[in-house]
């Protein structure tokens, strides 16, 4: 029998099952033996290609010694959603999972510098304005955002292409010093061979303004995924029509944007403009 096609929900659940099994100190074969399953059954569940119904997940977790309340939390990951769409109220963990396995990421954020490109101080200013949270919670979110950037230092980092809207670069978060450092950071990132940054001027930014905040992630082992977010939730999309539509938006942005060289010069010029007292 052919394996069940993997999707975002099953892969996220599989990653959590592996984490729970590892915490229990069990190998996949040991868990299979305890549950009376074949090793391939455990392997398929963990890879996102096997049955992930409530009974199977509960059995898996019970043999890992996971307490009841935590089982209920994990079961939320197993809940079916509309085919091709995965909605998460707090999607950061899901995003990190899929970012770290991507071979290429392309996208944009019209009114803010994308999180993967943010400096620490800029990230802190953005998070402080976007959420009513205690200072320790803000610092925890900043740390996670910076941890995401470790994918730049992987042995084989993903190919990254971001379109930066001029409005986002001129929208100040924090002081002029914060913005100066952020623009300098972007100009330095332009020198990395796996990163392409291109600025979309306001005069050509209609496509970007309407496209909204999204990235398209590509994978070697399965199909692409589209990620969109707002203040309230994150949406992970594998619907073919939406994927193709996003590719069209990215192609239009490639036509509208400054060249890589022009973008690097623009970012350096903007950094100079921010290099003044507040």
């Amino acid at each position: 029998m052919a394996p069940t096609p993997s999707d975002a929900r099953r892969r996220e659940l599989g990653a959590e099952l592996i984490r729970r099994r590892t915490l229990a100190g069990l190998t996949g074969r040991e868990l299979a033996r305890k549950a009376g399953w074949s090793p391939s059954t455990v392997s398929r569940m963990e890879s996102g290609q096997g049955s992930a119904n409530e009974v199977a997940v509960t059995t898996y977790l019970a043999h890992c010694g996971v307490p009841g309340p935590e089982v209920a939390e994990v079961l939320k990951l197993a809940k079916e959603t509309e085919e091709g769409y995965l909605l998460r109220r707090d999607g950061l963990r899901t995003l990190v999972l899929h970012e770290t396995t991507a071979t290429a990421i392309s996208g944009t954020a019209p009114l803010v510098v994308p999180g993967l490109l943010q400096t620490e101080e800029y990230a802190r200013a953005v998070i402080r304005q976007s959420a009513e949270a205690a200072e320790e919670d803000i610092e925890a979110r900043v740390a996670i955002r910076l941890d995401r950037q470790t994918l730049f230092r992987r042995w084989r980092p993903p190919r990254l292409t971001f379109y930066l809207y001029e409005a986002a670069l001129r929208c100040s978060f924090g002081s002029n010093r914060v913005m100066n450092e952020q623009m300098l950071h972007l100009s330095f990132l332009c020198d990395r061979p796996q990163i392409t940054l291109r600025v979309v001027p306001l005069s050509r930014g209609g496509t970007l303004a309407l496209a909204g905040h999204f990235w398209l992630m590509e994978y070697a082992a399965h199909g692409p995924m589209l990620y969109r977010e707002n203040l309230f939730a994150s949406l992970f999309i594998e619907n073919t029509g939406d994927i193709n539509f996003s590719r069209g938006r990215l192609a239009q942005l490639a036509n509208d944007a400054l060249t890589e060289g022009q973008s690097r010069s623009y970012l350096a010029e903007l950094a100079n403009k921010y290099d003044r007292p507040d």
Side-chain angles (χ1 to χ4, degrees):
M1 184 175 64
T4 303
S6 153
D7 63 20
R9 177 184 63 83
R10 290 187 178 92
R11 289 192 296 274
E12 182 184 11
L13 175 61
E16 180 63 15
L17 293 178
I18 292 172
R19 188 177 78 85
R20 298 288 182 165
R21 174 173 59 74
T22 302
L23 287 173
L26 295 172
T27 66
R29 285 188 172 277
E30 288 169 340
L31 178 59
R33 187 163 52 250
K34 286 167 67 73
W37 295 336
S38 68
S40 62
T41 297
V42 173
S43 177
R44 287 196 300 271
M45 287 180 66
E46 294 181 346
S47 66
Q49 296 181 320
S51 173
N53 60 53
E54 185 172 323
V55 173
V57 173
T58 301
T59 301
Y60 182 110
L61 295 172
H63 287 291
C64 292
V66 178
E70 295 182 29
V71 170
E73 288 300 311
V74 178
L75 284 173
K76 292 179 182 179
L77 301 180
K79 186 177 180 180
E80 291 283 355
T81 56
E82 183 177 348
E83 185 176 356
Y85 300 89
L86 178 65
L87 181 67
R88 289 287 180 255
R89 174 67 182 83
D90 182 358
L92 183 57
R93 182 174 63 177
T94 306
L95 176 60
V96 169
L97 167 67
H98 296 296
E99 278 182 344
T100 55
T101 56
T103 57
I105 302 174
S106 304
T108 186
L111 297 177
V112 67
V113 173
L116 282 174
L117 309 178
Q118 292 176 5
T119 64
E120 180 177 348
E121 291 297 330
Y122 182 93
R124 184 173 288 112
V126 170
I127 293 169
R128 185 169 282 131
Q129 289 193 32
S130 64
E132 294 183 2
E135 194 63 27
E136 58 268 24
D137 293 332
I138 292 174
E139 292 306 313
R141 295 185 191 188
V142 171
I144 292 172
R145 186 158 298 186
L146 296 178
D147 283 346
R148 287 170 55 201
Q149 298 176 14
T150 59
L151 63 82
F152 296 158
R153 300 188 288 276
R154 277 174 23 194
W155 180 53
R156 290 183 176 176
R159 176 69 191 171
L160 301 174
T161 303
F162 285 100
Y163 297 94
L164 308 173
Y165 196 16
E166 181 182 350
L169 303 176
R170 294 186 177 277
C171 183
S172 293
F173 287 93
S175 64
N176 284 329
R177 178 186 61 79
V178 170
M179 294 300 296
N180 168 258
E181 291 176 354
Q182 178 63 72
M183 296 306 112
L184 287 174
H185 179 63
L186 292 173
S187 65
F188 294 151
L189 287 176
C190 290
D191 294 329
R192 296 199 177 203
Q194 83 276 20
I195 299 177
T196 298
L197 302 183
R198 297 180 62 189
V199 175
V200 182
L202 284 168
S203 59
R204 310 180 198 170
T207 298
L208 181 48
L210 293 175
H213 181 153
F214 75 90
W215 13 104
L216 181 64
M217 296 177 278
E218 310 275 359
Y219 304 90
H222 54 80
M225 177 185 296
L226 183 65
Y227 169 72
R228 301 200 66 151
E229 71 175 17
N230 58 35
L231 282 176
F232 310 107
S234 299
L235 185 61
F236 300 84
I237 304 169
E238 294 175 293
N239 177 278
T240 302
D242 292 338
I243 295 290
N244 291 338
F245 180 80
S246 72
R247 291 194 195 282
R249 289 293 188 181
L250 289 169
Q252 185 60 54
L253 288 173
N255 289 330
D256 294 342
L258 302 178
T259 66
E260 291 181 60
Q262 291 171 333
S263 298
R264 183 185 295 106
S265 298
Y266 178 87
L267 290 167
E269 178 184 341
L270 197 55
N272 288 334
K273 290 182 179 179
Y274 280 119
D275 188 16
R276 63 180 189 270
D278 291 296

